[in-house]
Amino acid sequence: EVQLEQSGAEVKKPGESLKISCVGSGYIFSDDWIGWVRQIPGGGLEWIGTVYPGDSNPKYNPSFQGHVIISADKSTATAYLQWGGLRASDTAIYYCVRHGHYYYMDVWGQGTTVIVS
Amino acid sequence: EVVLTQSPATLSLSPGERATLSCRASQSVNYYLGWYQQKPGQAPRLLIYNASKRATGVPTRFSGGGSGTDFTLTISSLEPEDFAVYYCQQRSNWPSMTFGGGTKLEI
């Protein structure tokens, strides 16, 4: 079964750094792009960015560029989303996604809740 | 950036009725549009890709249509488990993509 398993919930203070992870299994991790999606409490979905594990050259939504870093390690089948300085407005659920079939988000992680307060 | 506008924001229907959800793009996205379903407390799930193709395991009561700037998601006869939030998403300028604001389908 194809799965994306995300790291657990985090509670941080403004200004702190954070790195959350997403481990892929059940498929060849380096074959498909991996992305991150944000969902603010009670809000909609926002695409943050996407990386191809084979070359680790991430593409970002301009709204998030410079505030987050996306990376992937194909040797451990793990993708990462990190912040150097969290803000209260980063409080949200973060999903990792596989861009599989025709690059749509066909597999989703369970979500990582990040609270910045 | 392509902006996707979904309507209505909320749709109130009963089981057995037909639901039609709309997604309009600010510029043509060809047929590069997908639909996702999200139930409370769950991650979204891909329903439709490339405007009209059902993803694996999606019931046949779900159908997608449209091209260019206007798209629809139709649920032919609502089941109780279909009441959820639905999002459209375009990937016409891959690897950039955007989501619509969502339509809440409520009983």
Side-chain angles (χ1 to χ4, degrees):
Chain A
E1 181 189 3
V2 177
Q3 282 188 318
L4 296 173
E5 185 70 27
Q6 296 186 230
S7 50
E10 302 273 2
V11 180
K12 292 288 189 179
K13 292 180 168 52
E16 290 187 333
S17 61
L18 175 64
K19 190 173 188 177
I20 62 175
S21 64
C22 167
V23 179
S25 62
Y27 74 103
I28 300 173
F29 185 78
S30 57
D31 278 358
D32 292 309
W33 294 70
I34 286 277
W36 290 92
V37 173
R38 182 175 83 172
Q39 186 166 39
I40 290 171
L45 305 174
E46 299 173 272
W47 171 67
I48 299 171
T50 291
V51 64
Y52 186 65
D55 66 16
S56 288
N57 182 21
K59 314 298 180 188
Y60 294 97
N61 179 335
S63 298
F64 292 89
Q65 181 118 34
H67 183 54
V68 299
I69 296 174
I70 291 171
S71 59
D73 181 346
K74 61 183 179 181
S75 69
T76 59
T78 304
Y80 300 97
L81 176 64
Q82 66 183 87
W83 296 259
L86 286 160
R87 310 163 183 161
S89 56
D90 294 318
T91 294
I93 299 173
Y94 292 86
Y95 294 102
C96 65
V97 298
R98 184 183 79 163
H99 293 278
H101 215 45
Y102 292 92
Y103 301 118
Y104 293 91
M105 302 173 186
D106 67 344
V107 180
W108 292 66
Q110 82 275 24
T112 295
T113 297
V114 174
I115 297 172
V116 184
S117 177
Chain B
E1 176 185 301
V2 178
V3 176
L4 298 179
T5 302
Q6 291 188 241
S7 61
T10 303
L11 183 58
S12 300
L13 292 170
S14 299
E17 291 192 297
R18 181 185 187 91
T20 302
L21 287 65
S22 174
C23 178
R24 176 163 289 177
S26 60
Q27 63 192 72
S28 176
V29 298
N30 203 334
Y31 57 84
Y32 296 115
L33 189 109
W35 290 93
Y36 299 81
Q37 175 194 64
Q38 186 178 32
K39 298 179 181 179
Q42 296 184 18
R45 166 198 178 196
L46 177 66
L47 296 177
I48 301 287
Y49 64 95
N50 282 357
S52 62
K53 309 296 185 186
R54 270 187 299 276
T56 303
V58 175
T60 56
R61 63 181 182 274
F62 291 90
S63 63
S67 66
T69 60
D70 288 291
F71 299 86
T72 55
L73 174 69
T74 300
I75 310 170
S76 59
S77 179
L78 286 164
E79 297 288 340
E81 62 267 27
D82 298 337
F83 292 91
V85 180
Y86 292 84
Y87 296 94
C88 58
Q89 175 237 333
Q90 67 81 24
R91 48 131 294 205
S92 65
N93 48 346
W94 171 266
S96 181
M97 63 206 77
T98 51
F99 286 97
T103 290
K104 181 179 181 181
L105 178 55
E106 64 177 22
I107 299 177

